[in-house]
């Protein structure tokens, strides 16, 4: 076979490396007729997600956290195309970052303060004191979820978010990722 003499033979596979800034797998296979069939391809990669988030807003680190354990590589570029994000403490929402044609986009629900039954906004951080002298204080974030001791969800309201209210019932519940601990400066 004349193809074998030139070093090309049926079934020979050549794997190409994508140029910098691109990702994926590109493989060419020599067919019986001496022609190559090409599978896969190289796609433009997105920039670093943290850089994109920094550029999209100064306070993103307080509002959004990258949930790196659930990244999805749907296009085979070796880079996540869809990254679920997690809202910061005291905020609710379900944001996602999607890489499409080399550019990140924020999708889903933006992170926002919890709303109350009266349309107020919950404070992102607030302290709740209990005990006879109100000296056992606990730091909470956003909407305090219902528990054994509290049958309802509630929060301290952000000043001027809805009149003179200071406390209200929450609509929805968020996970409290900070454990309930007494604040050292408040205990005696």
């Amino acid at each position: 076979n004349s193809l074998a003499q030139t070093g090309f033979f049926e079934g020979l596979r050549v794997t190409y490396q994508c140029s910098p800034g691109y990702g994926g797998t590109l493989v060419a296979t020599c067919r019986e007729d001496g022609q190559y069939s090409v599978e896969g391809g190289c796609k433009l990669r997105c920039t670093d997600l943290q850089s994109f988030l920094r550029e999209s807003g100064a306070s993103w680190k307080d509002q959004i956290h990258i949930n790196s354990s659930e990244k999805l590589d749907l296009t085979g570029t070796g880079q996540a195309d869809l990254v679920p994000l997690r809202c910061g403490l005291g905020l609710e929402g379900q944001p996602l970052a999607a890489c499409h044609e080399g550019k990140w986009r924020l999708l889903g629900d933006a992170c926002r303060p919890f709303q109350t039954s009266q349309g107020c906004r919950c404070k992102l951080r607030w302290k709740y004191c209990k005990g006879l002298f109100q000296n056992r204080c606990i730091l909470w974030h956003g909407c305090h979820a219902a528990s054994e001791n509290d049958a309802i969800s509630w929060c301290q309201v952000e000043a001027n978010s809805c009149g003179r209210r200071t406390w209200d019932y929450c609509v929805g519940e968020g996970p409290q990722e900070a454990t309930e601990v007494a604040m050292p400066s408040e205990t005696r």
Side-chain angles (χ1 to χ4, degrees):
N1 180 332
S2 64
L3 293 175
Q5 292 171 352
T6 61
F8 300 102
F9 54 90
E10 182 183 354
L12 175 71
R13 292 174 56 94
V14 178
T15 303
Y16 292 89
Q17 185 173 4
C18 296
S19 298
Y22 289 81
T25 305
L26 181 62
V27 178
T29 306
C30 184
R31 299 186 312 229
E32 183 179 357
D33 63 3
Q35 300 296 312
Y36 278 91
S37 62
V38 180
E39 297 173 22
C42 295
K43 296 187 188 234
L44 187 60
R45 284 186 168 186
C46 283
T47 58
D48 177 57
L49 179 56
Q50 288 190 7
S51 299
F52 166 75
L53 290 172
R54 258 193 311 277
E55 292 167 8
S56 67
S59 63
W60 77 270
K61 279 198 169 204
D62 297 330
Q63 293 186 14
I64 301 174
H65 301 283
I66 298 171
N67 190 355
S68 57
S69 64
E70 296 183 27
K71 294 180 194 178
L72 298 173
D73 178 6
L74 304 173
T75 57
T77 61
Q79 179 188 29
D81 302 305
L82 188 61
V83 180
L85 303 171
R86 185 169 45 88
C87 292
L89 291 174
L91 298 168
E92 67 174 337
Q94 294 181 328
L96 297 167
C99 177
H100 181 68
E101 296 179 356
K103 295 186 181 189
W104 285 109
R105 294 184 197 172
L106 288 176
L107 305 173
D109 297 332
C111 296
R112 63 195 172 283
F114 283 90
Q115 295 292 306
T116 70
S117 61
Q118 298 296 311
C120 307
R121 287 186 310 272
C122 292
K123 282 187 171 183
L124 297 184
R125 288 172 45 120
W126 50 277
K127 70 179 176 180
Y128 171 63
C129 299
K130 53 187 172 182
L132 181 61
F133 299 106
Q134 297 287 295
N135 62 347
R136 291 185 10 237
C137 297
I138 301 159
L139 183 64
W140 287 106
H141 301 274
C143 186
H144 171 65
S147 65
E148 287 179 21
N149 301 330
D150 297 310
I152 52 172
S153 301
W154 51 279
C155 71
Q156 186 174 11
V157 171
E158 204 174 277
N160 302 321
S161 69
C162 66
R164 305 181 95 174
R165 269 185 195 277
T166 56
W167 299 92
D168 199 2
Y169 302 112
C170 301
V171 177
E173 294 179 5
Q176 291 294 326
E177 295 188 28
T179 19
E180 183 174 344
V181 291
M183 295 171 59
S185 61
E186 304 291 338
T187 58
R188 295 184 187 174

